């Protein structure tokens, strides 16, 4: 395996406003990274940034959102070897299980990408009413969604993808066990795309 770069960045700026970090170690206790530890101001800034991005993201066509989610899957597939080694390094699983986990993660991004243009057809409806008029249910993005995920990597991806595929933006609280992997491989690629 290769040593990971030390990460002290946040998604909304280069570092935490407070400058605080915490240590992520490998399963054998070796140092891996120092992700930034967010302060209240960092959280407020994240919500402000998500609100600012909300109008553009929700106005994107479902097809466009699907393309972007699919591109995330392609980028993760292109860096699968790095992803697998970091997951195996930071968790209590073997390299073979890490490889299966990465494969499943890529499949999940593709699955959500495929749902982007189907959500409206599945969740919207024409409602029967008595009278000479029509009544329709149309799903709309809710806005900024706060996500506090569990330590499961696949649940982490499910939480994020489910929110953004429907046109929402999100502020994600990343569990410490996923901090090094999620920042390096999920946040940076999505910042470049979106």
């Amino acid at each position: 395996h290769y040593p990971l770069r030390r990460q002290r960045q946040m998604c909304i700026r280069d570092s935490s406003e407070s400058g605080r970090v915490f240590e992520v170690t490998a399963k054998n206790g070796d140092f891996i990274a120092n992700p930034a530890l967010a302060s209240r101001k960092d959280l407020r800034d994240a919500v402000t940034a998500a609100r600012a991005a909300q109008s553009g993201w929700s106005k994107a066509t479902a097809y466009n959102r699907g393309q972007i989610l699919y591109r995330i899957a392609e980028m993760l597939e292109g860096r699968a070897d790095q992803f697998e080694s970091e997951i195996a390094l930071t968790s209590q699983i073997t390299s073979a299980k890490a490889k299966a986990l990465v494969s499943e993660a890529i499949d999940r991004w593709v699955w959500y990408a495929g749902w982007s243009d189907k959500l409206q057809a599945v969740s919207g409806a024409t409602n029967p009413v008595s009278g000479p008029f029509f009544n329709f249910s149309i799903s709309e993005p809710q806005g900024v969604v706060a996500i506090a995920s569990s330590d499961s990597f696949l649940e982490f991806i499910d939480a994020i993808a489910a929110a953004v595929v429907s046109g929402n933006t999100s502020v994600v609280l990343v569990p410490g066990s996923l901090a090094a992997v999620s920042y390096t491989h999920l946040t940076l690629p999505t910042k470049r795309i979106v």
Side-chain angles (χ1 to χ4, degrees):
H1 72 85
Y2 65 97
L4 302 176
R5 290 182 23 227
R6 296 180 185 203
Q7 298 291 335
R8 295 178 184 258
Q9 298 177 331
M10 307 236 1
C11 302
I12 51 174
R13 67 170 78 80
D14 288 339
S15 65
S16 170
E17 173 268 337
S18 68
R20 297 179 302 169
V21 296
F22 66 97
E23 188 173 293
V24 175
T25 59
K27 57 187 173 186
N28 64 3
D30 290 344
F31 173 80
I32 295 177
N34 280 329
L37 185 61
S39 66
R40 286 185 221 168
K41 184 175 184 325
D42 293 323
L43 183 58
R44 284 192 303 270
D45 291 347
V47 171
T48 302
R51 280 187 189 153
Q54 172 59 35
S55 64
W57 182 245
S58 65
K59 289 178 185 171
T61 65
Y63 175 75
N64 190 302
R65 286 194 303 261
Q67 285 181 317
I68 291 170
L69 294 182
Y70 191 82
R71 179 69 180 128
I72 293 170
E74 287 178 335
M75 291 178 79
L76 291 178
E77 186 176 46
R79 298 170 64 182
D81 292 340
Q82 288 177 321
F83 208 26
E84 292 161 9
S85 66
E86 289 179 16
I87 288 175
L89 188 65
T90 58
S91 63
Q92 299 294 328
I93 62 174
T94 65
S95 294
K97 286 184 181 177
K99 185 173 185 150
L101 188 65
V102 170
S103 178
E104 178 67 21
I106 293 166
D107 289 346
R108 296 239 180 139
W109 280 111
V110 171
W111 187 80
Y112 280 103
W115 269 102
S116 65
D117 59 351
K118 296 166 188 68
L119 284 174
Q120 190 68 304
V122 172
S123 62
T126 303
N127 306 314
V129 292
S130 60
F133 50 88
F134 295 101
N135 184 307
F136 298 99
S137 295
I138 300 173
S139 59
E140 296 178 347
Q142 298 299 304
V144 178
V145 177
I147 298 172
S149 175
S150 71
D151 285 342
S152 166
F153 185 68
L154 292 177
E155 289 177 15
F156 178 70
I157 289 175
D158 283 339
I160 296 169
V164 299
V165 71
S166 58
N168 299 301
T169 55
S170 59
V171 174
V172 183
L173 305 175
V174 181
S177 62
L178 296 175
V181 174
S182 64
Y183 185 82
T184 304
H185 292 288
L186 289 178
T187 307
L188 292 177
T190 56
K191 281 175 69 173
R192 285 187 211 119
I193 294 172
V194 180

